[in-house]
């Protein structure tokens, strides 16, 4: 019995390892080609407004009086020829709106809003007297997705991007993310960029001045996790237009396509779900469109520093993953959706979603085998070894990949710390996140019937 | 079981060793790289005043670079200077300096096995205007394994350097080129070649055709107005729309009768572009048609009509009247919005 279970876990993990290896190699080749390419030259031409497409930046805000000023301010100084910032106050109960009115000298304005997506009632629209490209929408509370949809209705430009209150956007983020769209004559309808962890970096006036590694082990592990997810997974998948679900990423979407897809939906991870829906729409309408991913870090986000917060985040992400997958269950193993239905969906379902269950099972088996002792010790060793391969080794490889290609960390000690921390991943961090993700599955299963309740969640995390 | 377990353990240990070796290699390389970067910085500080005087007054002797750190320091500085100091003399001196000192180094970089390095060399050659490498670039373009990214950059440079066969090159570009690529190439092209491109307009593929029309507008090439006017008669609406857009960009006044045809077009994009032209020209004689378009079923047409009215001498009064008396609620709403925008500007 135990032998059978151990073998199942073993072969599952070996299959996943094979897939990861494939992704790693694709990413390595891709990144290495562009190694040392000038940071500025490829983007210079995009500063000319006659070639570039303007972007509407949507900032949903629910009770964010403390952070909203800094977020908006950092957006005011980004480098992009034409853009507007639309803050959507989602019926905050604190002084978010008052704060905005005061800080940015808002006056009410008349604007005909095209109701292309249904949203809660918009109470008023404001414009800033200080910055002609800053607008604020005041609406009744309807959740983050509803706020974003209201922002889309109001926005006047063909591309939209949503930004969370707790992120810092690089000044050239939009040039980098819009490049594939412009380059391809808009064949690319959504483009995402890497997200990195801001903890430990020096940030001044909404700009990352120096990239460094936090002293907190929990944050270091998250940095490794992000490197692994973004450098390995996303690039590998994006290369073959297989990229599906991106938790906590930064992306620009073609407004026209978002509207065609029905706008943002009330799920835990709106962005993730939207990407799946866009892929689905592309396949269903047989359109020659793409969703791509840019390896450059463009968005810096604050990672949770305590176990409690991290646990909450991981549970929520995993529930979001489940919702996105479940909503589109018709695509699972469905040849009609081509590689998305046959590769991406199964990958996210079996590896990303069910992987933690198998892993947890493996850890339990290790403990049981150790207790039983005798011949079972062999199973314990085997499972431990394979999980070292599965967890630590790929993380180590991701750190090396970073250093070999993107090279954002400036000091030797940061790289060394990343490398040795990733060696310990299997021993503590991995089991913890596996456990939390399994909790997320339980959450999702228990609340499955009633995810309509999520609607009133509000915007803030 | 235990045999295969031992084997598996060996595999894991081997992989770990490999990773560790790569790690050590990367660390050593990082240290070296750090030193090298510092060296470049030191040279940059050393060269800065000297290079600045040379570029600004042309009376400084420059010591030729010998190590690769010196090359990189000098080229980066030079690139920085020409970006901030835009002036004919400076450009000329930059080219002269680059032609004397950097050509060999850049040529070597053009053959680097890594794409990133080769691209950087191409960017430098373009920025410095080192035409003497043109032959080298040609050879590179002819190579079998040249990537599309390089091809795009090379064609841009052929256009910029007035390569005699740029037109022939354009005829044989691959399908993967986008309108955006074409625009960038066209933007660097001299008038003579551009005119030739326009003369054979209908021989080009669609993407190139659209890029050509757009660039006439963006670069304000008034010599091609009559060509745009012939496109206005074309049965394919995309041509008419783009031509109107280009004319609007150049604010070229069209006759009322001609404009009226487009304002009444079945295609809403055509109505929109015709209105944009009206807005640029402040054509007073078409007021009734424009007012009628305030009731158009397409949102953006209504919005553009309102803007066109606003730009007229007594635009505010006309919008006020529509806002109060129009029988169409959409027209009233749109008039109100633009009234407010108009008042903001006052």
């Amino acid at each position: 019995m135990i032998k059978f279970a151990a073998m199942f876990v073993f072969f599952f993990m070996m299959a996943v390892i094979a897939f990861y290896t494939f992704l790693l190699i694709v990413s390595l080749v891709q990144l290495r080609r562009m190694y040392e390419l000038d940071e500025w030259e490829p983007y210079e031409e995009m500063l000319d407004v006659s070639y570039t497409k303007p972007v509407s930046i949507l900032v949903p805000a629910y009770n964010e009086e403390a952070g909203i000023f800094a977020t908006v301010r950092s957006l005011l100084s980004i480098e992009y020829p034409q853009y507007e910032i639309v803050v959507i106050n989602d019926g905050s109960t604190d002084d978010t709106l008052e704060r905005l009115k005061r800080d940015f000298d808002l006056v009410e304005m008349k604007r005909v809003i095209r109701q292309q997506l249904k949203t809660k009632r918009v109470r008023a629209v404001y414009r800033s007297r200080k910055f002609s490209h800053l607008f604020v929408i005041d609406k009744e509370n309807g959740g983050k997705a509803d706020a974003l949809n209201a922002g889309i209705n109001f926005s006047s430009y063909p591309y939209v991007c949503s930004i969370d209150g707790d992120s810092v956007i690089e000044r050239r983020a939009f040039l980098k993310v819009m490049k594939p769209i412009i380059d391809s004559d808009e064949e690319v309808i959504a483009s995402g960029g890497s997200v990195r962890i801001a903890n430990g970096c020096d940030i001044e006036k909404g700009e990352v001045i120096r990239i460094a590694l936090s002293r907190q082990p929990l944050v270091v592990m998250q940095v490794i996790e992000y490197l692994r997810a973004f450098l390995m997974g996303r690039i590998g998948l994006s290369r073959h237009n297989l990229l599906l679900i991106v938790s906590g990423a930064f992306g620009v979407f073609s407004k026209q396509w978002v509207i065609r897809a029905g706008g943002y939906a009330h799920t835990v991870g709106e962005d993730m779900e939207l990407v799946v829906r866009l892929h689905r729409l592309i396949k269903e309408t047989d359109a020659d469109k793409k969703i791509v991913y840019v390896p450059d870090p463009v968005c810096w986000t604050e990672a949770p520093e305590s176990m409690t917060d991290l646990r909450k985040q991981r549970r929520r992400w995993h529930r979001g993953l489940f919702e996105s997958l479940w909503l589109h269950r018709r695509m699972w193993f469905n040849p009609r959706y081509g590689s998305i239905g046959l590769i991406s969906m199964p990958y996210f379902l079996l590896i990303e979603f069910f992987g933690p269950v198998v892993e947890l099972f493996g850890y339990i088996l290790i403990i049981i085998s150790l207790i039983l002792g005798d011949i079972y010790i062999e199973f314990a060793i085997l499972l431990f070894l394979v999980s070292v391969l599965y967890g630590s080794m790929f993380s180590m490889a991701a750190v090396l990949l970073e250093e070999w290609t993107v090279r954002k960390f400036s000091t030797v000690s940061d790289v060394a710390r990343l490398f040795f921390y990733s060696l310990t991943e299997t021993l503590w961090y991995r089991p913890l996140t596996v456990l939390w993700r399994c909790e997320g599955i339980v959450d999702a299963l228990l609340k499955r019937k009633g995810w309509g309740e999520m609607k009133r969640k509000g915007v803030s995390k | 079981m235990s045999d295969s377990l031992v084997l598996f353990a060996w595999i894991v240990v081997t992989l770990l060793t490999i990773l560790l070796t790569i790690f050590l290699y990367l660390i050593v390389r990082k240290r070296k790289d750090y030193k090298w970067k510092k060296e470049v910085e030191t040279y940059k500080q050393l060269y800065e005043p000297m290079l600045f005087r040379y570029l600004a007054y042309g009376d400084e002797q420059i010591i030729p670079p010998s190590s690769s750190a010196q090359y990189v320091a000098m080229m980066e500085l030079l690139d920085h200077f020409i970006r901030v100091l835009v002036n004919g003399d400076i450009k000329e001196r930059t080219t002269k300096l680059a032609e004397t000192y950097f050509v060999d180094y850049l040529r070597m970089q053009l053959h680097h096995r890594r794409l990133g390095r080769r691209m950087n060399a191409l960017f430098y050659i373009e920025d410095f205007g080192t035409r003497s490498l043109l032959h080298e670039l040609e050879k590179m373009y002819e190579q079998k394994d040249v990537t599309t990214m390089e091809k795009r950059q090379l064609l841009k440079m052929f256009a910029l350097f007035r390569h005699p066969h740029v037109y022939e090159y354009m005829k044989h570009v691959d399908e993967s080129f986008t309108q955006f690529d074409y625009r960038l190439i066209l933007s660097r092209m001299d008038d003579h070649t551009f005119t030739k491109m326009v003369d054979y307009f209908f021989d080009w593929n669609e993407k190139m055709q659209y890029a050509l029309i757009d660039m006439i507008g963006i670069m304000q090439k008034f010599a091609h107005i009559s060509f745009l006017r012939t496109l206005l008669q074309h049965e394919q609406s995309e041509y008419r729309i783009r031509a109107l857009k280009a004319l609007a960009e150049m604010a070229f006044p069209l006759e009322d009768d001609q404009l009226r045809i487009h304002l009444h077009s079945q295609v809403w994009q055509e109505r929109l572009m015709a209105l944009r032209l009206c807005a640029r020209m402040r054509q007073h004689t078409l007021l009734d048609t424009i007012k009628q378009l305030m009731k158009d079923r397409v949102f953006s047409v209504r919005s553009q009509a309102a803007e066109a009215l606003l730009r007229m001498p007594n635009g505010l009064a006309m919008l006020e009247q529509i806002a109060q008396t129009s029988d169409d609620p959409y027209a009233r709403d749109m008039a109100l919005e633009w009234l407010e925008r108009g008042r903001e500007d006052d």
Side-chain angles (χ1 to χ4, degrees):
Chain A
M1 184 61 193
I2 287 187
K3 180 177 177 183
F4 180 72
M7 281 299 131
F8 169 72
V9 175
F10 178 78
F11 284 113
F12 177 87
M13 285 186 163
M14 286 309 283
V16 177
I17 286 168
F19 192 71
Y20 279 161
T21 311
F22 164 73
L23 291 184
L24 180 71
I25 292 167
V26 174
S27 301
L28 177 68
V29 173
Q30 193 72 355
L31 286 169
R32 221 17 221 180
R33 284 182 65 206
M34 292 302 151
Y35 180 61
E36 285 183 337
L37 183 65
D38 191 273
E39 292 221 357
W40 173 237
E41 288 283 357
Y43 304 102
E44 202 169 7
E45 248 129 13
M46 290 184 62
L47 280 184
D48 187 333
V49 69
S50 13
Y51 303 122
T52 318
K53 298 281 167 187
V55 181
S56 297
I57 306 169
L58 312 177
V59 189
Y62 177 75
N63 291 350
E64 300 217 27
E65 60 173 335
I68 193 72
F69 176 73
T71 309
V72 175
R73 224 188 94 159
S74 82
L75 289 174
L76 284 166
S77 63
I78 62 166
E79 219 168 316
Y80 198 73
Q82 200 180 7
Y83 67 97
E84 63 178 3
I85 302 164
V86 183
V87 183
I88 307 109
N89 177 37
D90 191 40
S92 295
T93 49
D94 67 353
D95 280 340
T96 305
L97 186 64
E98 297 312 311
R99 184 81 214 264
L100 285 166
K101 277 185 183 168
R102 199 175 59 232
D103 292 339
F104 298 107
D105 195 7
L106 300 182
V107 281
E108 203 173 331
M109 64 183 278
K110 255 208 151 43
R111 176 69 86 85
V112 186
I113 299 180
R114 265 169 108 176
Q115 279 290 336
Q116 306 201 78
L117 297 166
K118 231 177 96 59
T119 67
K120 294 269 177 188
R121 197 174 69 85
V122 171
R123 289 192 281 235
V125 190
Y126 302 87
R127 67 181 171 86
S128 162
R129 266 195 290 229
K130 277 191 199 157
F131 306 98
S132 59
H133 56 307
L134 171 62
F135 303 93
V136 175
I137 300 175
D138 183 32
K139 65 181 277 290
E140 283 168 8
N141 181 273
K144 185 173 172 183
D146 196 66
L148 288 170
N149 287 339
I152 290 178
N153 281 339
F154 174 87
S155 66
S156 34
Y157 294 145
Y159 285 89
V160 291
C161 164
S162 93
I163 281 167
D164 279 346
D166 51 6
S167 324
V168 173
I169 300 297
E170 290 235 334
R171 285 186 56 210
R172 288 177 183 164
F174 285 91
L175 290 175
K176 288 181 175 170
V177 178
M178 284 299 287
K179 187 164 170 59
I181 296 179
I182 308 282
D183 272 349
S184 69
D185 282 351
E186 304 181 65
E187 185 187 273
V188 171
I189 56 166
S191 163
S194 279
V195 177
R196 291 281 181 100
I197 287 176
N199 310 39
C201 300
D202 292 341
I203 296 173
E204 271 173 39
K205 291 180 185 164
E207 203 183 339
V208 178
I209 307 286
R210 198 179 62 90
I211 299 165
L213 196 59
S214 166
R215 294 265 139 218
Q216 290 253 11
L218 204 57
V219 177
V220 177
M221 292 315 294
Q222 289 180 73
V223 172
I224 295 165
E225 225 184 350
Y226 270 65
L227 288 181
R228 181 174 159 149
F230 282 96
L231 286 181
M232 246 172 76
R234 313 281 185 252
I235 295 175
L237 291 172
S238 165
R239 177 80 186 82
H240 301 281
N241 204 20
L242 290 173
L243 183 63
L244 251 194
I245 294 167
V246 181
S247 2
F250 165 87
V252 176
F253 297 94
S254 151
K255 187 166 81 178
Q256 187 199 340
W257 279 82
V258 173
I259 291 171
R260 275 183 73 182
Y264 286 92
H266 299 282
T267 50
V268 182
E270 313 73 18
D271 269 10
M272 294 191 220
E273 200 275 333
L274 181 62
V275 172
V276 185
R277 209 139 25 92
L278 285 173
H279 262 302
R280 191 172 174 168
L281 190 64
I282 292 173
K283 292 284 177 194
E284 282 173 358
T285 55
D286 249 340
D288 195 12
K289 299 288 175 187
K290 276 194 193 129
I291 294 174
V292 303
Y293 166 78
V294 183
D296 276 307
V298 292
C299 176
W300 298 80
T301 186
E302 199 171 330
E305 294 202 343
S306 75
M307 289 276 194
T308 337
D309 290 338
L310 185 62
R311 179 175 166 204
K312 269 192 214 154
Q313 186 197 47
R314 291 312 147 96
R315 281 171 81 157
R316 200 183 59 233
W317 280 6
H318 218 66
R319 207 173 69 218
L321 175 67
F322 176 75
E323 286 193 8
S324 301
L325 290 171
W326 182 251
L327 267 174
H328 299 280
R329 57 190 177 280
R330 266 190 47 205
M331 295 169 79
W332 299 358
F333 308 100
N334 188 339
R336 209 188 136 202
Y337 295 97
S339 51
I340 296 289
L342 295 177
I343 302 174
S344 303
M345 270 291 171
Y347 164 73
F348 280 98
L349 188 70
L350 298 178
I351 300 182
E352 296 276 326
F353 184 70
F354 280 120
V357 181
V358 181
E359 263 184 89
L360 185 68
F361 188 53
Y363 292 128
I364 294 171
L365 275 180
I366 291 178
I367 295 169
I368 293 178
S369 307
L370 284 175
I371 294 169
L372 292 177
D374 215 12
I375 53 155
Y376 295 107
I377 296 284
E378 281 186 1
F379 295 128
I381 298 171
L382 183 72
L383 288 179
F384 176 73
L385 285 178
V386 76
S387 58
V388 167
L389 254 180
Y390 190 89
S392 297
M393 302 263 265
F394 277 103
S395 295
M396 290 158 87
V399 171
L400 297 181
L401 182 64
E402 203 292 338
E403 179 52 28
W404 207 350
T405 57
V406 191
R407 284 197 129 181
K408 287 288 169 186
F409 292 97
S410 51
T411 67
V412 171
S413 76
D414 280 354
V415 179
R417 267 171 59 220
L418 280 171
F419 186 76
F420 288 108
Y421 268 100
S422 56
L423 187 62
T424 69
E425 186 171 315
T426 318
L427 300 177
W428 64 288
Y429 185 74
R430 190 87 190 170
L432 277 178
T433 53
V434 161
L435 192 66
W436 295 331
R437 282 189 278 171
C438 288
E439 285 179 349
I441 297 180
V442 175
D443 289 349
L445 291 176
L446 289 180
K447 287 177 190 166
R448 230 183 66 189
K449 275 179 198 150
W451 65 45
E453 293 160 21
M454 301 294 306
K455 272 183 193 163
R456 297 227 158 240
K457 188 182 90 147
V459 161
S460 71
K461 286 182 178 168
Chain B
M1 175 71 194
S2 42
D3 275 354
S4 48
L5 187 65
V6 170
L7 180 72
F8 192 66
W10 269 113
I11 292 173
V12 174
V13 171
T14 318
L15 284 174
L16 271 174
T17 322
I18 293 172
L19 284 176
L20 200 68
T21 319
I22 299 175
F23 169 73
L24 290 176
Y25 160 73
L26 288 176
I27 288 296
V28 171
R29 209 190 61 171
K30 199 174 185 69
R31 282 194 171 275
K32 263 175 140 177
D33 208 58
Y34 179 72
K35 266 193 207 150
W36 192 79
K37 274 193 180 134
K38 261 189 124 171
E39 206 186 324
V40 172
E41 276 316 304
T42 322
Y43 282 125
K44 269 179 149 178
Q45 276 172 14
L46 188 76
Y47 290 148
E48 195 175 349
M50 191 169 76
L51 261 178
F52 180 77
R53 278 197 304 273
Y54 168 80
L55 288 177
Y57 314 110
D59 57 359
E60 187 77 23
Q61 278 299 314
I62 305 284
I63 319 154
S66 52
S67 72
S68 73
Q70 287 174 347
Y71 274 110
V72 171
M74 212 182 255
M75 290 200 301
E76 279 183 6
L77 266 178
L78 206 57
D79 208 38
H80 167 74
F81 279 136
I82 51 175
R83 214 168 277 166
V84 285
L85 313 166
V86 194
N87 158 329
D89 283 349
I90 289 176
K91 187 94 204 161
E92 215 169 277
R93 283 181 203 128
T94 306
T95 308
K96 203 175 134 202
L97 188 73
E99 292 280 10
T100 337
Y101 291 151
F102 304 149
V103 169
D104 290 333
Y105 182 80
L106 286 172
R107 186 179 293 128
M108 228 164 60
Q109 293 292 307
L110 284 180
H111 295 294
H112 201 278
R113 66 191 159 80
R114 210 177 298 124
L115 176 63
R117 284 283 189 94
R118 295 199 300 270
M119 284 306 294
N120 288 347
L122 289 179
F123 289 135
Y124 276 132
I125 295 171
E126 181 178 7
D127 288 350
F128 299 154
T130 33
R131 275 192 182 73
S132 62
L133 283 167
L134 198 58
H135 182 61
E136 208 73 25
L137 301 180
E138 262 172 35
K139 274 201 298 197
M140 196 172 168
Y141 191 83
E142 304 295 341
Q143 268 163 20
K144 250 193 240 146
D145 51 353
V146 64
T147 62
T148 318
M149 191 180 186
E150 286 165 290
K151 272 194 168 177
R152 278 181 209 158
Q153 183 59 28
L154 281 166
L155 273 178
K156 281 193 244 169
M157 292 159 75
F158 290 156
L160 184 73
F161 293 163
R162 311 229 186 301
H163 189 291
H165 301 308
V166 103
Y167 181 82
E168 282 69 31
Y169 278 124
M170 293 298 274
K171 291 200 100 157
H172 298 108
V173 292
D174 28 305
E175 281 295 299
S176 65
F177 272 56
T178 60
Q179 276 185 60
F180 180 66
D181 297 328
Y182 287 135
R183 280 179 172 204
L184 293 181
I185 299 168
L186 290 172
S187 71
R188 289 163 170 76
M189 213 171 253
D190 62 298
D191 282 340
H192 176 73
T193 321
F194 192 91
T195 306
K196 197 170 167 193
M197 301 283 298
V198 175
D199 286 345
Y200 293 93
F201 182 80
F202 290 100
D203 293 347
W204 297 112
N205 63 26
E206 233 171 42
K207 285 186 276 187
M208 172 71 91
Q209 290 178 342
Y210 296 154
L212 271 169
I213 308 176
D214 291 350
M215 286 318 287
I216 295 176
I218 292 172
M219 298 179 69
Q220 310 268 317
K221 292 192 177 273
F222 284 94
H224 301 289
I225 293 264
S226 62
F227 164 70
L228 291 182
R229 295 182 70 120
T230 56
L231 283 183
L232 290 180
Q233 316 298 332
H234 203 281
E235 56 180 12
Q236 209 175 309
S237 62
E238 189 62 31
Y239 289 143
R240 301 197 302 270
I241 295 164
R242 298 238 177 192
L244 282 169
K245 190 177 167 193
L247 288 168
E249 204 101 36
M250 299 153 90
F252 182 81
L254 278 183
E255 304 77 27
D256 287 358
D257 289 342
Q258 181 70 47
L259 256 178
R260 209 172 277 125
I261 298 172
H262 304 298
L263 288 170
H264 287 128
S265 163
Q266 292 296 313
V267 188
W268 70 266
Q269 289 92 337
E270 192 173 351
R271 299 199 293 276
L272 180 76
M273 288 306 160
L275 279 169
R276 190 178 284 183
L277 184 55
C278 292
R280 290 295 304 269
M281 290 155 34
R282 308 178 175 207
Q283 204 129 328
H284 212 247
T285 41
L286 287 166
L287 275 180
D288 288 338
T289 318
I290 300 175
K291 279 182 186 165
Q292 203 55 41
L293 287 170
M294 286 287 297
K295 299 178 190 174
D296 199 280
R297 63 191 160 79
V298 179
F299 181 93
S300 15
V301 175
R302 294 200 297 275
S303 183
Q304 186 65 66
E307 190 187 342
L309 284 180
L310 181 68
R311 297 276 178 90
M312 301 290 170
N314 59 339
L316 281 174
M318 282 188 287
L319 284 174
E320 187 91 56
Q321 201 203 356
I322 293 173
Q324 279 167 12
T325 61
S326 177
D327 54 352
D328 183 306
Y330 294 109
R332 290 201 300 270
D333 269 354
M334 195 54 87
L336 278 175
E337 179 182 329
W338 281 91
L339 263 177
E340 197 181 273
R341 289 200 195 186
R343 285 180 189 136
E344 277 164 29
D345 296 341
D346 285 345

